[in-house]
Amino acid sequence: MALRLYNTLSGKIEEFQTLQKNQVRMYACGPTVYDYGHIGNFRTFVAVDILHRFLEQSGYTVQHVMNITDVDDKIIRNSSREGVPVQTYTAKYEKAFLEDTLLLNIAQPKLARATEHIPEMAEFIAKLEAKGFVYRTEDGSYYFRIAKFPAYGKLSKKDFGGMQDGARVDVDEYEKDSARDFAVWKAPKPGEASWETSIGPGRPGWHIECSVMSMEELGETFDLHAGGEDLIFPHHENEIAQSEAYSGKPFARFWFHPRFLLVEGEKMSKSAGNFYTLRDLVLKGHKPSSIRYLLASVPYSTQLNFTFDGLKQAEVSVDRLRNFRLRLTSGQFPAGANPEMTKLAQETTDRMRAALEDDLNTPQAQAAIFDMARTANAAFDSGAVKQDDVPALLGALDKFNEIFAVLRDDDAPKIKSIAEWAKAEGRDISQELLGLLQSDALSDEQVNGKLAEMEAARKARNFPVSDAIRKELTAAGILVENTKDGVRWRRK
RNA sequence: GGACGGGUAGCCAAGUGGUAAGGCAUCGGCCUGCAAAGCCGAUCAUCAUGGGUUCGAUUCCCAUCCCGUCCUCCA
């Protein structure tokens, strides 16, 4: 079997195929760095990351490029309002974005910054102009002539054939030949950032950077292009027009568009008061792993309802799997092997693979691992898990984690950097976050020392002392479990 | 208004032409010095509403209501 993916271009689920065997070349639209990333942004980036990880798990080498849009109207407006150069302004948010992706265990793609490719964009536009796809207006802007590109609309399934260019043309854009034509290059305006180039001064239009950078990094035709569903039109439609007009060849073969999320059942918006950046959530005391898990719990192809209740549930779910893993790594098992367990691990791995191959059905993959955990936990209790079964079970869990990336107990160190940032920015830090930070306060040695004391007290049946120590450790975010095989612990 | 996607238990949700995964929550039990973790059992779904097709629909078709995305710069 192979991965079957919904392709926006064909409007169908298709078998994913690459141009070169075992190699994927993909381009994902990244952030416009004008503010901190919100959870909607990260829903998209997590979805793309899951695709990336599953492709690697499937044996592909993945060449993954992501743009950083570091010049646009909003950036120019905000930076001038703050009185700082564009680069200073964008550097801050780019840094924050990259830290955020680390928080969520998003594998880092190769980055391509718009402002570092301005000369190439100018050349690209010059060639399009030479081919007649682009025209220059009196003020020095350049527009793409949609009428020259009959396939326009094939991605968004819009029919522009019957469109009449009416008299209803935007006042600012009176020079365009057709209202539908879009800017590939914007003439400079007083006080705005602009670049001197071979086609004159100005700055790039919104779409040109992606055409230029993706083709530069991945070739004129590559395997997959991703971005939020809102980018289908006009952004990706325009990219296709520019790129295919330029090269005369098909641009990306697969188009991957994660759907939007809702927050508490409603559209996320600042005015509705349900707008959250990733950092907002962390400051409220939510773990990055819970957030990632929740974002991955609904297929990318359907809308996700992001709720705080769901976030709590996600944390408990992740804990369950972490506990299961702890049992596997710290337990003592009778010698030998139980074929049932090996079979269970294999079936689980197969189920997860089949689920993900089915257009990345993440909840079914999760169901498979939970089924395994339940069955294996029951087998644990009855002593039916043997030494030789452990690697197989752990292996299935690892396969799961290669995709979902939530099982490491590393939330506390990650949160620490956010807490420091919050302090520097003068943001409020919740009690919950302070509590989470606690779990990193004691070193492994200190924890083990306390545990030794506790065990000694328990052996002496000095329960008041052992209970006091347990309480102390719990307060420090350490979960202690006493089992018949001895004591084990992990950071909550 | 047009195009498209969705409405499944208290919550998040998968899925199917033959009455429905998984997680969370709730209740009871087992285990346990306590706790934690785990297991077992139970409760919980007329699958938005109204029609139609069919031996049979939650799954296909139509209508209605609701939600979301896009219809030029929002992931």
Side-chain angles (χ1 to χ4, degrees):
Chain A
M1 276 301 285
L3 172 61
R4 293 170 56 75
L5 261 192
Y6 181 81
N7 184 355
T8 309
L9 186 57
S10 67
K12 285 187 296 224
I13 290 183
E14 296 175 37
E15 185 170 319
F16 180 69
Q17 288 174 323
T18 54
L19 285 161
Q20 285 175 6
K21 200 163 181 276
N22 298 329
Q23 200 187 341
V24 179
R25 285 176 288 167
M26 61 187 272
Y27 184 90
C29 283
T32 300
V33 283
Y34 68 95
D35 203 348
Y36 296 107
H38 61 251
I39 51 175
N41 294 316
F42 289 109
R43 142 82 143 173
T44 300
F45 296 125
V46 166
V48 172
D49 183 56
I50 282 171
L51 172 65
H52 178 149
R53 286 166 174 270
F54 185 60
L55 289 169
E56 286 189 335
Q57 191 176 78
S58 304
Y60 289 103
T61 302
V62 179
Q63 197 181 348
H64 180 176
V65 177
M66 181 173 77
N67 65 299
I68 300 279
T69 299
D70 54 0
V71 54
D72 87 323
D73 291 353
K74 240 175 297 196
I75 287 171
I76 290 170
R77 188 192 64 209
N78 293 1
S79 63
S80 74
R81 194 174 53 200
E82 288 186 15
V84 297
V86 165
Q87 282 82 349
T88 311
Y89 182 82
T90 56
K92 171 180 166 185
Y93 293 107
E94 179 183 315
K95 179 167 172 281
F97 173 77
L98 296 176
E99 287 170 359
D100 288 354
T101 61
L102 243 46
L103 237 49
L104 292 178
N105 285 155
I106 293 169
Q108 175 94 70
K110 177 167 185 184
L111 301 179
R113 291 178 193 83
T115 56
E116 291 172 5
H117 294 79
I118 303 282
E120 296 94 309
M121 293 184 209
E123 280 167 39
F124 191 99
I125 292 165
K127 180 170 170 188
L128 282 177
E129 187 184 21
K131 290 181 114 180
F133 287 102
V134 153
Y135 56 90
R136 187 178 191 277
T137 55
E138 239 172 74
D139 68 342
S141 293
Y142 290 79
Y143 291 92
F144 188 91
R145 193 189 314 276
I146 284 173
K148 271 280 280 184
F149 191 77
Y152 193 78
K154 67 178 175 180
L155 182 70
S156 54
K157 314 284 185 281
K158 291 181 195 299
D159 181 12
F160 294 94
M163 291 288 308
Q164 293 291 321
D165 293 332
R168 193 176 45 81
V169 174
D170 195 309
V171 214
D172 286 341
E173 297 167 330
Y174 60 93
E175 290 183 296
K176 287 200 281 185
D177 286 2
S178 157
R180 289 270 157 194
D181 290 352
F182 60 89
V184 293
W185 187 257
K186 297 182 177 182
K189 289 187 188 157
E192 286 192 352
S194 111
W195 284 259
E196 285 299 331
T197 72
S198 55
I199 59 166
R203 61 190 171 89
W206 179 27
H207 322 290
I208 198 74
E209 63 177 80
C210 288
S211 288
V212 169
M213 299 192 297
S214 62
M215 288 167 76
E216 184 177 308
E217 295 285 346
L218 302 172
E220 292 177 342
T221 302
F222 53 92
D223 298 307
L224 184 140
H225 194 126
E229 63 170 321
D230 58 320
L231 298 184
I232 295 170
F233 190 88
H235 184 54
H236 289 162
E237 196 71 69
N238 290 352
E239 273 186 60
I240 290 174
Q242 293 165 348
S243 305
E244 299 193 349
Y246 177 92
S247 69
K249 294 175 192 156
F251 188 42
R253 304 170 81 216
F254 270 80
W255 288 84
F256 179 83
H257 293 108
R259 304 286 305 270
F260 269 27
L261 55 68
L262 302 178
V263 175
E264 302 292 347
E266 286 177 42
K267 172 184 177 149
M268 180 170 79
S269 71
K270 287 182 178 161
S271 57
N274 64 352
F275 181 93
Y276 299 102
T277 65
L278 179 66
R279 287 165 186 240
D280 290 336
L281 296 181
V282 172
L283 290 184
K284 281 173 178 286
H286 297 287
K287 293 180 184 178
S289 57
S290 310
I291 298 167
R292 178 174 169 107
Y293 185 87
L294 179 56
L295 292 177
S297 292
V298 177
Y300 80 90
S301 54
T302 59
Q303 207 161 53
L304 178 159
N305 186 10
F306 192 99
T307 66
F308 284 96
D309 200 27
L311 207 44
K312 252 179 270 152
Q313 294 171 12
E315 181 177 345
V316 180
S317 302
V318 169
D319 267 341
R320 181 169 162 83
L321 293 176
R322 288 183 178 179
N323 286 332
F324 175 63
R325 185 163 215 290
L326 183 65
R327 259 190 125 164
L328 281 169
T329 54
S330 69
Q332 287 174 10
F333 307 91
N338 177 354
E340 290 292 312
M341 288 300 111
T342 317
K343 195 171 149 227
L344 173 65
Q346 187 57 51
E347 280 171 359
T348 302
T349 307
D350 292 347
R351 272 178 71 189
M352 288 193 292
R353 162 147 294 276
L356 294 170
E357 281 180 337
D358 181 15
D359 202 23
L360 301 175
N361 193 327
T362 47
Q364 285 201 341
Q366 291 174 340
I369 205 73
F370 277 104
D371 279 341
M372 182 182 93
R374 186 181 353 91
T375 307
N377 270 324
F380 270 129
D381 289 348
S382 66
V385 177
K386 313 285 193 208
Q387 260 174 36
D388 298 349
D389 305 328
V390 173
L393 292 171
L394 222 38
L397 209 48
D398 287 344
K399 287 274 184 217
F400 172 85
N401 205 229
E402 281 174 17
I403 306 299
F404 290 93
V406 291
L407 296 185
R408 280 184 51 163
D409 295 322
D410 59 358
D411 290 300
K414 285 176 171 174
I415 283 172
K416 207 188 279 179
S417 69
I418 298 298
E420 281 160 16
W421 162 83
K423 220 176 287 170
E425 293 276 316
R427 300 271 307 253
D428 290 338
I429 300 176
S430 66
Q431 284 303 313
E432 289 79 6
L433 178 62
L434 290 173
L436 279 177
L437 288 165
Q438 280 290 311
S439 68
D440 213 28
L442 295 177
S443 69
D444 286 9
E445 291 71 29
Q446 287 172 309
V447 173
N448 285 324
K450 294 275 181 200
L451 283 181
E453 282 178 46
M454 190 177 103
E455 285 307 278
R458 290 183 72 231
K459 220 160 239 160
R461 302 192 67 81
N462 187 350
F463 294 125
V465 168
S466 71
D467 286 352
I469 296 172
R470 182 193 297 285
K471 216 173 158 190
E472 187 186 338
L473 286 169
T474 302
I478 307 297
L479 171 69
V480 181
E481 294 180 37
N482 296 98
T483 73
K484 59 178 165 37
D485 298 330
V487 64
R488 62 171 174 239
W489 66 277
R490 69 179 184 83
R491 298 178 192 277
K492 282 279 281 184

